[in-house]
Amino acid sequence: MPTSRSVVIGVDSSTQSTKAAAVDADTGELLAIGRAPHTVTGTSGARESDPEEWWTALASAVRAAVRQAGIPADAVTGIAVAGQQHGLVTLGGDGRPLRPALLWNDTRSAPQAAALAERLGGPAAWLARTGSVPVASMTAAKWQWLRENEPRHAAAATAVRLPHDHLTERLCGHPVTDPGDASGTCWSGTGDGVGTGAGTGVGVGVAVGTGTGVGADTGTGTNARSRAATSAAGAGAYDREILDLLGLDPSLLPAVAPGGATRVGTLTPAAAEALGLPRTVAVAAGTGDNMAAAVGLGLGGVGLLDHPVVSLGTSGTVFAATRTRPADPALAGFAATDGTYLPLGCTLNCTLAVDRFATLLGLDREDAAPGGEVVVLPYLDGERTPDLPHAAGLVTGLRHGTEPRAVLGAAYEGAAFTVLRALDGLLAACGLDPADPAVRDRPLRLIGGGARGRAWTETVRRLSGRPLVVPAAEELVALGAAALAAGAVTGADPVALTTAWGTGEGEVLPPVRRDEETWDRIAGVLTAAGPTLLR
């Protein structure tokens, strides 16, 4: 293998594990994937992880990827992290976590979210200012929970980070985030903002090609392209009034880079040693996992716009890149990492919830049949969309003759229904008419671990009635992060890179007749149960 080959590392730091993809920066060829697990702890709504374990996993996964790829360390030219969104990392004066991180699916902050949603003029005002209404998942609600329940930790915090921010800072030494991940905090706004630390600016300049990191604003290439692409969606600004409401000093927050592909520095000596890479490796600002998946699929300003995606993983999500600013209280009005918007509907209960039903029934996860009369609402960890943070799972319609395979199939149907129900709202948020045949027949891109399962794929086809595109690439978050890293090295647009790499291409499955009977049955149970059984 020629040593002149340029290899970039895309890191997917998810809820359950870290995956590091070694990718040829020119061709997009996936050379190797390194993996390392995470530990998630907590009961009764609590979900926490030790950020130090994320760092250890990142270093282990990167070393494994480089080793398995069979490349010399000096072939690696860039790295970017895509992380699980919303998690709250609080750091002390030594730069280390004060406590385990509160994860996105920690629902203890539901009361704080509800209280916040009624402040500042109510939900409509939150939509106008941040694009989202606070729910338990959002970082603002988690910070408020910490203030109320662990005030000593809140008072001791010298820095507040999202998971990907924390890891990027460990890599390059600079406190920096991007517009996409910042948009999931509910304190990054589109109104009057405040620059971190200064009180006057909105974001940062980042040098390209010098390795000097945040604050230089002298580079070209990625810096100039990203600044030009940044729109109101990626405002690079924190909302002053919201920060005051939260008692959150803006100096605790990272600077907001123009985009996820912005070069923010190079590896620190400690990071280079931990990863076994040269200090010259460029570090990109990185982004959240959903934003990176969009990049991996070729969604964005220079790629596909208004094309819906369904992701089936620990959570279930539906999203699309669009130029229309979303304003739907049922959706998260995220920014994409390239200056477009990324409205997203998210459910807490997806593959893990269905796998739990399979375990309880003693069945293989693929040994499912249509649910028939059985309806399962698999809200085992509360729910986010619909906003039912205290809900438990519900099973109804059982008979003496009900087969276990039908109960498992009903769990698939309930989880898929919950994700797909947000689709019409997503399309409307993109400025489209969901009833328009041209929109109705637009294929869904199906990604995530569930997209590899027959039962998941067939359930989504049956309940949506839409054609599906199942990309051949399995690690789209890591590949999207790799494109951000390549953008930091070369100045190229990461969406243009993944489009050229073909990472979003895959099998096209034709539509089947929509199972409206099952859809209506699940909808009826959800409506009837919501006011009493699911609250």
Side-chain angles (χ1 to χ4, degrees):
M1 179 180 299
T3 57
S4 61
R5 180 179 228 176
S6 175
V7 176
V8 289
I9 304 291
V11 177
D12 172 9
S13 181
S14 69
T15 313
Q16 303 291 332
S17 67
T18 292
K19 288 169 276 190
V23 176
D24 186 301
D26 295 320
T27 67
E29 178 187 358
L30 178 60
L31 305 177
I33 289 275
R35 293 178 170 83
H38 299 167
T39 302
V40 178
T41 61
T43 58
S44 301
R47 295 293 182 273
E48 299 182 346
S49 284
D50 181 2
E52 290 293 331
E53 188 178 42
W54 299 341
W55 175 249
T56 302
L58 185 153
S60 176
V62 168
R63 283 182 172 271
V66 173
R67 183 175 62 251
Q68 293 167 22
I71 55 173
D74 62 7
V76 178
T77 56
I79 188 169
V81 177
Q84 54 178 306
Q85 288 191 254
H86 308 306
L88 176 67
V89 180
T90 49
L91 306 179
D94 60 356
R96 294 295 181 262
L98 291 169
R99 69 177 313 287
L102 300 174
L103 302 187
W104 62 275
N105 53 352
D106 188 314
T107 58
R108 288 175 292 177
S109 54
Q112 287 75 26
L116 286 173
E118 294 307 314
R119 306 288 293 275
L120 299 175
W126 283 93
L127 280 177
R129 299 174 75 136
T130 73
S132 302
V133 177
V135 293
S137 304
M138 299 294 184
T139 322
K142 299 181 188 304
W143 172 254
Q144 190 70 3
W145 181 91
L146 192 73
R147 291 179 71 204
E148 294 178 12
N149 291 274
E150 299 179 12
R152 285 183 295 178
H153 280 140
T158 61
V160 173
R161 303 287 185 263
L162 296 167
H164 118 263
D165 306 345
H166 175 59
L167 294 171
T168 300
E169 188 172 5
R170 291 290 293 266
L171 288 172
C172 70
H174 298 300
V176 64
T177 190
D178 87 298
D181 212 5
S183 69
T185 60
C186 262
W187 60 58
S188 178
T190 59
D192 292 335
V194 54
T196 55
T200 57
V202 288
V204 296
V206 181
V208 175
T210 65
T212 55
V214 175
D217 198 19
T218 58
T220 57
T222 300
N223 183 46
R225 174 189 54 74
S226 296
R227 254 205 326 270
T230 301
S231 71
Y238 298 120
D239 187 296
R240 185 189 297 272
E241 189 175 356
I242 292 175
L243 294 183
D244 288 345
L245 174 65
L246 296 170
L248 183 56
D249 188 329
S251 68
L252 303 185
L253 300 175
V256 184
T262 303
R263 177 175 173 146
V264 295
T266 58
L267 293 178
T268 66
E273 181 178 359
L275 274 59
L277 297 176
R279 288 187 58 190
T280 54
V281 172
V283 179
T287 192
D289 52 2
N290 290 298
M291 294 79 194
V295 172
L297 288 164
L299 274 58
V302 300
L304 293 171
L305 291 169
D306 304 325
H307 281 253
V309 177
V310 169
S311 177
L312 304 173
T314 303
S315 63
T317 60
V318 55
F319 61 88
T322 183
R323 296 196 187 279
T324 304
R325 187 182 186 279
D328 183 337
L331 301 174
F334 293 149
T337 197
D338 72 341
T340 58
Y341 296 94
L342 196 76
L344 179 144
C346 179
T347 64
L348 296 185
N349 300 276
C350 197
T351 58
L352 290 184
V354 173
D355 284 352
R356 182 60 180 154
F357 271 88
T359 299
L360 290 172
L361 295 165
L363 297 173
D364 182 271
R365 66 179 61 170
E366 293 292 341
D367 194 15
E373 295 183 3
V374 182
V375 171
V376 173
L377 300 179
Y379 302 160
L380 305 188
D381 289 311
E383 191 44 79
R384 171 171 164 180
T385 305
D387 186 14
L388 299 167
H390 304 298
L394 176 68
V395 181
T396 185
L398 295 179
R399 304 286 185 182
H400 278 291
T402 301
E403 295 184 358
R405 294 174 65 242
V407 178
L408 180 57
Y412 276 102
E413 291 167 353
F417 168 89
T418 306
V419 179
L420 292 171
R421 198 173 72 132
L423 180 60
D424 283 354
L426 173 78
L427 294 170
C430 293
L432 304 173
D433 178 3
D436 183 340
V439 175
R440 189 181 60 236
D441 296 337
R442 190 167 294 180
L444 289 177
R445 280 163 172 78
L446 193 65
I447 65 172
R452 305 296 154 186
R454 176 195 55 80
W456 273 113
T457 302
E458 292 307 311
T459 303
V460 171
R461 288 179 78 194
R462 181 162 52 86
L463 290 185
S464 71
R466 291 173 175 269
L468 303 183
V469 175
V470 183
E474 296 187 23
E475 304 296 345
L476 286 161
V477 173
L479 288 169
L484 296 178
V489 173
T490 67
D493 188 295
V495 173
L497 284 173
T498 56
T499 300
W501 292 351
T503 53
E505 298 175 0
E507 181 183 9
V508 179
L509 302 176
V512 298
R513 185 182 66 84
R514 187 179 182 212
D515 186 350
E516 300 204 15
E517 182 180 353
T518 296
W519 182 277
D520 292 343
R521 182 165 53 247
I522 299 171
V525 169
L526 178 59
T527 299
T532 53
L533 298 178
L534 296 175
R535 298 287 178 185

